[in-house]
Amino acid sequence: AAGIIAGSAAMAQTYPSKPIRFIVPYPPGGGTDIVARLIAAKMTVSMGQPVVVDNKPGASTIIGSDMFAKAAPDGYTVGLITDSHAINQIFFTKLPYDSIRDFEPVTQLVFVPLVLVTHPSLNVKTVPELIALAKTKPGKINYASIGNGTPHQISMEWLKSIAGISMAHIPYKGVAPALSDLVSGQVDLMFTGTSSAVPYVKAGKLNALAVSSAKRQPAFPDTPSVSESGLQEFDFMTWYGSALPGGTPANIVLRMNQEITAALNQPDVKERLATLGVVGAPTSPSEFGAFIKSESQKLGRIVKLTGVKPE
């Protein structure tokens, strides 16, 4: 025992002594990638070693998550997780890792509010108008998402369930193709991140009906929330967080938490996050672990209520 304690203390004194790999289970260029690179750049300076973002997308984040779950628990591999991490353990009974045991929560990174946008041809400007139209055309209105079992689908299915309406689901492989078809009128509406919706709404190519969070968002100050629009129980935001492989020493977890929190609190990072329409939300490791548990329970209830199935 004394040897283990001494070894851990020595590691803390020399850590980090080589580059750190930051695995992001999403493609380059999206919100997760941008946030990870903002943080990695700050950590590279503060930790004195390169923090290198490594994109490993695929299989609803399972490929990248499995990669860092199985990495050595030495603090040299950290990973980004999102609400998909919580959703996957609900959908898949045979994941290649244990969603709790194989990960050490470090901190939540950001909350990501969504906005409900429609093509102008649908001719609705509010959620009540959408609900009224959908009730006259059951199953005829279609909505896009970035895939089956994703937060974008789950949020819309929850709205449908509360409102008592029927709409057809059109899954896509990402935000870009879904938005492209929405702007061209191939689909009628979708929930998407506020930052991706802003340019289309400002250009008059899409109408913003409501934001998914309980409160209004700075990117859409004049757009009510879904809750304000009559569906009072609706409150939905996606999120990003960070984790280390299970078994990583507590002192390394704490150091990583301190470094990431410091990065998120820097003024230029806060400003950049605001332009992305996301809200920095660093927490302690224990707070983030409790949050993941509560999110899993909440998402489990929504999935059960709506009957959403994975791909």
Side-chain angles (χ1 to χ4, degrees):
I4 292 173
I5 293 171
S8 179
M11 180 181 178
Q13 291 173 359
T14 60
Y15 175 81
S17 59
K18 61 181 181 179
I20 296 170
R21 186 186 189 195
F22 195 159
I23 294 178
V24 176
Y26 291 89
T32 50
D33 182 62
I34 293 171
V35 170
R37 290 180 189 277
L38 280 172
I39 294 168
K42 296 298 184 181
M43 291 171 63
T44 293
V45 175
S46 65
M47 300 186 80
Q49 291 288 341
V51 179
V52 182
V53 173
D54 188 3
N55 299 92
K56 297 295 181 182
S60 298
T61 76
I62 294 172
I63 291 174
S65 296
D66 185 46
M67 192 170 293
F68 80 82
K70 290 182 169 60
D74 56 8
Y76 289 99
T77 303
V78 62
L80 183 142
I81 60 175
T82 67
D83 42 4
S84 289
H85 183 80
I87 294 169
N88 286 342
Q89 62 182 316
I90 299 168
F91 280 148
F92 303 103
T93 57
K94 293 185 177 180
L95 289 169
Y97 50 77
D98 185 292
S99 297
I100 303 299
R101 185 185 63 241
D102 293 337
F103 299 85
E104 295 288 348
V106 175
T107 180
Q108 187 175 339
L109 301 177
V110 297
F111 278 116
V112 186
L114 304 176
V115 59
L116 179 61
V117 287
T118 65
H119 190 269
S121 64
L122 199 59
N123 200 29
V124 296
K125 296 293 181 65
T126 67
V127 170
E129 288 179 5
L130 171 64
I131 293 171
L133 180 63
K135 287 184 175 180
T136 66
K137 303 168 65 175
K140 300 298 183 181
I141 297 173
N142 54 51
Y143 77 89
S145 83
I146 62 171
N148 291 308
T150 61
H152 299 67
Q153 184 203 10
I154 290 173
S155 56
M156 189 69 81
E157 290 296 323
W158 192 22
L159 184 152
K160 286 170 50 183
S161 176
I162 298 172
I165 58 176
S166 173
M167 295 188 292
H169 176 218
I170 311 295
Y172 288 81
K173 294 297 184 182
V175 172
L179 272 174
S180 177
D181 273 10
L182 177 58
V183 171
S184 66
Q186 301 302 306
V187 289
D188 298 314
L189 70 158
M190 72 178 293
F191 270 117
T192 189
T194 53
S195 59
S196 60
V198 165
Y200 296 108
V201 173
K202 285 186 175 180
K205 295 181 178 180
L206 295 176
N207 293 329
L209 271 58
V211 293
S212 66
S213 52
K215 297 180 179 179
R216 298 191 183 199
Q217 295 298 318
F220 291 94
D222 299 322
T223 301
S225 66
V226 174
S227 177
E228 283 183 88
S229 301
L231 305 183
Q232 296 181 359
E233 64 188 278
F234 193 96
D235 180 9
F236 192 99
M237 284 198 287
T238 63
W239 50 266
Y240 312 157
S242 59
L244 288 160
T248 300
N251 52 357
I252 299 299
V253 175
L254 181 59
R255 172 70 185 280
M256 189 66 71
N257 174 275
Q258 292 170 340
E259 294 288 347
I260 294 176
T261 297
L264 287 170
N265 284 330
Q266 293 197 30
D268 59 330
V269 173
K270 287 185 174 182
E271 183 178 347
R272 179 70 173 115
L273 293 178
T275 66
L276 295 172
V278 303
V279 182
T283 59
S284 70
S286 60
E287 287 170 337
F288 187 40
F291 174 76
I292 294 172
K293 182 177 180 180
S294 68
E295 279 292 286
S296 296
Q297 294 170 344
K298 173 184 175 179
L299 291 166
R301 290 193 296 269
I302 295 174
V303 167
K304 184 176 181 180
L305 176 69
T306 60
V308 174
K309 303 294 183 183
E311 293 178 326

